[in-house]
Amino acid sequence: MGNHPRAYITVRVPVLRQGRVVHTLVAVIHAQLLENIIVASTDTREWDVVVVGPGDAIIASSIPALGLKASLSPSALRREIQRFSPARRRYASPVPIPSTNWHILVLARTEDLEKPFLTKRTTVYLGASAAALLTIFLVWSLSAALSARRETAVLKQEVDKRMRTQAALEESEARFRLLVESSPDAIFVHVDGRFAYLNQATARLLKAPSPDALAGRSIREFIHPDFHGIVDGRLDRLMREKRPVPLLEERYLRMDGIAVAVETSAVPIRYGDADGALVFVRDITERIERETAHDILERQLAQARKMESVGRLAGGVAHDFNNMLSVITGYSELALTRLHPGDALRNDLEEILSAAGRSADIIRQLLAFARRQTAAPVVLNLNDAVEGMLRMLRRLIGEAVELSWSPRTGLWPVRIDPAQVDQIITNLCVNARDAVTDVGKIAIETHNIVVDGSGDGDHPATLEPGEYVMITVTDNGIGMAPETLEKVFEPFFTTKASGRGTGLGMATVYGIVRQNHGFIHVDSELEKGTRVRIFLPRHHADAGPASGDALPEKAPNGRGETVLLVEDEPAILKMGKQLVEGLGYTVLPATGPEEAVTLAAAHPGRIHLLVTDVVMPGMSGRDLAQRLQSTHPDIQVLFVSGYTADIIAHHGVLDDGVTFLQKPFSRKTLAEKLRQLRLREKNDKRRLKAED
């Protein structure tokens, strides 16, 4: 059979529901499709169908041998049909197809033409209506086509749904991969203890060239050995219980062998066809460093507060103690002046003076620690100050210990009391000597140091930016353990044997350094020695000699000059009056500021010197001096106290032109201070005369 050109029919099939027409199926059927339907429908039946078009042309047929015939007469058409149709068949009258100029011929056995043809809810007699038979064929074919179309539509919907699901899955995976790869934290999946997937951050953390360099490798080789047991236990619990494990701070090993502090957590997952774990790792190195620095600062703050409290206590005790020592020292010296050289009591009095001197040294160390020691700073070169002490230091440490001195040329000047420099170097060298067993070495060095705050360089973290002169004392002694190092500046803490130290040496050094706005840092290891570094601020001026006039070795007595002596402690006032009078001065004693003002106003002659305590009831020593200078402009003032008060010193540093005498004092020291004031008066007069 061939295709008939432009052979189409339109079929309308009403659809009934409960006896009512709800809609009409409309189909445009190609003649070739119609023929296929007819052949398929009659293939198992003993009857045939022929569709005849205009001019009795055969459009479609279930008889293969009939073929397509055009423009046949009715009789010729019947002969053709009967010639190719099996015997005992005849055809019904042609039935027109609605809305077309086509007809249908049905050929069947004679007995079948009168037999009812059953369909759903319909009984049709072939002999009665051939058109009904075609309608059944068409409805069946259309139902099959519609069913196929519906199946095709359902299949297409399913395919579209799967494609959308796949696209959504791919989009979700792309988003997840973007998030994972963009994460600053390391994220990886491990299966059977090996890397199955890892992001770029994991490679960066472990210093790997790329994630591919780690894929498939054992994770255990990148975990610090100290944490193997802990990590194995966590992994076993995670895989067994299928529950996340909490955060853990541990250490990983990078590919270059360096340990890095990390914080890890993990959750169980199904990766491919195997159980695994999704692990999150955060590098906490910087956080640990910050926390460590914070802990150090907190400990330093606590230490500073503790030392400040001890310092206040020490300062208060020192003030009263110095007053009592002044009485003991003063009367002992007065008694010595009244004895003959061979008197039996002289040795006893000298022992009393010696004990008082040692006690005074302890008090001075306490005051230095409390930063209340009176200082008279001058601009000096530390190289010159240390070189002037070398001979004394070598005698002090002994011949068994080698002392090396390495001064830096061009050392910057600093501003500090020379006596305090002596205290610092002496205490450090004595401690170093005691740390050396048998033969050893002590090295003293000086350097210029610039701290820019960048953290570079071998400087303490607490050192503020600036320019410093550093003096270093190093020994190769027994060193100190970390717990000992933490207490090194505490007063009365000592590692020496009983009777060999007071525990105030390093506390004294600490107080002096802080009083001069410097910093001190100690490094030490057991069996490796100790290094003490002191940083003093650079002073932008040329170094020069200490202010004041040089005094002779033996200070001469006075020549009857009048001294107004003011002291609120009666025992000290009585002793002080005898000392000053014994030095050749006329003394006006006063028990307080008001009495001093009254005596000065009533005294007919000139008052040359005022020797006054600093802290007294009603009026301070400075206020008293200013009041008397308004009526006695030439009067010279000597302040005396058990500790430095803020009214005459700022943070323990004397103002220029202020003369101070620390209690307890010796008769000779008092004589030197009084003579210094007399020389200053003469110099002032000469300067004024020259200006005139």
Side-chain angles (χ1 to χ4, degrees), residues 150 267 325 337 387 397 508:
R150 283 195 298 270
V267 296
L325 284 177
T337 61
E387 285 176 359
I397 64 176
T508 300

Side-chain angles (χ1 to χ4, degrees), residues 129 167 238 316 329 406 581:
S129 176
L238 180 143
T329 302
S406 301
E581 287 179 339

Side-chain angles (χ1 to χ4, degrees), residues 430-452:
V430 168
N431 284 343
R433 177 203 64 189
D434 293 341
V436 173
T437 56
D438 299 328
V439 179
K441 182 177 180 179
I442 299 174
I444 305 175
E445 305 174 37
T446 56
H447 298 277
N448 293 329
I449 299 295
V450 178
V451 178
D452 56 11

